[in-house]
Amino acid sequence: DATDTPEFTSEPVTSVSAEDVYRYQPRVSGPTTQPVRYTLVNGPAGMSVNPTTGEVTWDGRRQGLSLPVNPSA
């Protein structure tokens, strides 16, 4: 049900220096009565999301890329 879909209330990190690991801890809110489960819809190879906490991490130091990211809750 679309009315139970949580909404992101935080802005994602959109850049990271070449020496750092990308980290983004999203915040969500909404009328959902179920625990929120996170997935990564779109992102570069090696990027991961913790399905329980939603933390997105990626060690892009080797890739040096700038790519779109699309998490979902």
Side-chain angles (χ1 to χ4, degrees), residues 4 9-11 16-17 22-23 25 28 30-31 36 40 42-43 46 49-52 56 59 62 66 69:
D4 285 343
T9 59
S10 59
E11 291 295 321
V16 64
S17 72
Y22 176 90
R23 293 188 186 283
Q25 180 62 62
V28 297
V36 175
L40 185 62
N42 184 26
V49 63
N50 180 305
T52 304
V56 178
D59 188 349
R62 295 182 200 163
S66 175
V69 175

